[in-house]
Every structure is written in C-alpha cells, then in structure tokens.
Amino acid sequence: LRDRSCRVSHYNDTHIIITTPLNNCGTTLSDTRTTLIYINNVYADYTNRQIGALNNRFGFTCEYPLIKQDLLLKAYWISNETAHRYALGTSKYNFEMRLFHDQRYLQHYKEDEYPIDVLMKERVYVSVYLKESGDELCSKLVNCTLNLSQDKVATPQHPLIRNGLPVDENVELYNTTETPHETRFSFLATPLDGNKAVYLHCDVAAVFCDMK
C-alpha cells in the first residue's frame, strides 16, 4: 500500500488479501458531502524474465454513503420486580445500539444478560455508536420511537426524538464531546399495552462532525 509497512496478509496462486484501517496505511479520504470515498493503492514489484523488473500500481476505493440507517432494539418489559434485563440491538452496517446500567455509561448490558425487565418509569440509558469510522465522522440521532413491533411504522407508537430533538419531555440528551462517534440519551420506560415487550426504533445518520 502507500505505506509500504502494510503488507499482504494472505495470498495463493490467484488471490491476495490486504487489510487496511480507514485512517492508516496511507489511506486518504475524499468526500462529496453525501458519500465518503477512501482511496489507496496496491503496489506490486516483481521481475519478469523477458521484460525485467516491473512496478505496477493498482488503485482502489471504498465508498460509504452518508445515509441514515435503522436500528432496532427489543427494549424492555414492564415488571413489578427490580430485576434488570434488556435486549441488545445491532445494525446491519457500522452502527451499534447498546443499553447501559446507569448514567455513568461505564458498563453496558452483555449479550447473555438479555432480555431485561424494568420498572415503570425507570430510566433507560441508550448509546448509539458509530464503529470503524475515521475521525471526521460522528453519529447523529434522527428519530427514535417506541412501539410493540419489529415494524417501525406499526401502531401504537410513542415518539421520543424527531429530527434530532426530543419530543418526549422525559428524554435527556447527553454531551458526548469526548466520544464524538457516540450519541447518548435516556428516557423513562413507558408501557404501551400492559406488559407486552416494547421495541425501540432509531434512525441514525453518519455525518461530518462539524454538521452534528
């Protein structure tokens, strides 16, 4: 690659595999404000018996559209007990949504702890994290809604956030200046229909940090 210390990790007679972080090995970034384009080159130096020494360069790019993605979390059941159990949700691309034990955001619920019961009006602490991004990208909450289905348009619904702003008076947004790839907020657990499972749906966008 452009950084010659980044080498082939695997090869055979027909293929080679080279792995590079988005912000290392000489990878550079170009953008159209709607798409991130990461650029690097593969350099191949070899000797041909008839031609002699050859130096070839093969350019490649990886494109990441800056579009919002949907995250789904089977969030909670209303319980009369004090046990804490939740469900983990992960997007299909490079966002992750997790729940934490308290407002310190030091310990998130592990996979084997799910699902979780909560008390009515107990505060739920949410983190949305943009994984494997360069320093120029931040996560941004667009919309968050509670309902009783994996289908985010199903009713009844209880909106929490619209266009990046709370629409529920109990929603609290937290400052994440020290962790710009992460967005944190909390809300009070609300029953929508008795003790049925409540789903949390969030639309999240990857944006340039100066646009957050």
Side-chain angles (χ1 to χ4, degrees):
L1 299 177
R2 289 173 175 168
D3 182 344
R4 297 302 180 96
S5 65
C6 298
R7 314 291 292 181
V8 171
S9 59
H10 177 78
Y11 68 91
N12 57 30
D13 292 339
T14 59
H15 293 78
I16 64 171
I17 297 177
I18 301 176
T19 302
T20 171
L22 297 179
N23 57 354
N24 207 337
C25 293
T27 302
T28 57
L29 172 66
S30 177
D31 71 83
T32 65
R33 307 305 288 183
T34 59
T35 303
L36 293 180
I37 305 173
Y38 290 92
I39 305 168
N40 209 322
N41 297 319
V42 175
Y43 294 90
D45 300 331
Y46 60 93
T47 301
N48 183 287
R49 293 181 180 180
Q50 295 180 340
I51 301 177
L54 296 176
N55 296 310
N56 284 338
R57 184 186 69 177
F58 306 93
F60 68 92
T61 62
C62 295
E63 297 187 8
Y64 290 81
L66 291 180
I67 58 176
K68 70 178 183 181
Q69 298 178 13
D70 299 335
L71 297 179
L72 168 65
L73 182 65
K74 190 174 184 179
Y76 58 83
W77 288 263
I78 299 299
S79 171
N80 292 323
E81 301 177 357
T82 58
H84 295 271
R85 294 184 296 155
Y86 273 84
L88 179 68
T90 303
S91 75
K92 60 184 178 180
Y93 295 113
N94 54 349
F95 287 96
E96 183 174 69
M97 182 159 59
R98 299 186 296 188
L99 302 179
F100 283 72
H101 286 263
D102 55 42
Q103 69 273 20
R104 294 175 298 172
Y105 282 87
L106 297 177
Q107 183 180 4
H108 64 82
Y109 288 99
K110 298 180 175 60
E111 191 168 358
D112 59 3
E113 295 180 89
Y114 300 112
I116 300 176
D117 298 332
V118 297
L119 297 173
M120 187 183 303
K121 301 301 181 181
E122 182 178 349
R123 189 158 289 277
V124 180
Y125 296 92
V126 186
S127 166
V128 175
Y129 184 72
L130 174 60
K131 303 187 295 182
E132 301 175 0
S133 65
D135 294 337
E136 66 285 334
L137 281 184
C138 290
S139 62
K140 179 180 176 62
L141 282 175
V142 181
N143 303 306
C144 286
T145 303
L146 300 174
N147 70 10
L148 301 173
S149 171
Q150 295 185 41
D151 181 358
K152 71 176 182 178
V153 300
T155 56
Q157 292 195 359
H158 181 80
L160 299 173
I161 295 172
R162 284 285 179 267
N163 298 319
L165 298 175
V167 292
D168 181 315
E169 62 181 5
N170 295 308
V171 170
E172 294 183 1
L173 298 176
Y174 300 114
N175 188 327
T176 56
T177 303
E178 296 181 357
T179 55
H181 302 319
E182 183 180 18
T183 301
R184 297 174 178 176
F185 73 100
S186 69
F187 62 95
L188 297 183
T190 303
L192 299 184
D193 185 8
N195 61 353
K196 290 184 178 180
V198 177
Y199 289 79
L200 171 63
H201 301 266
C202 286
D203 296 330
V204 187
V207 300
F208 290 96
C209 292
D210 59 4
M211 299 169 57
K212 186 173 181 180

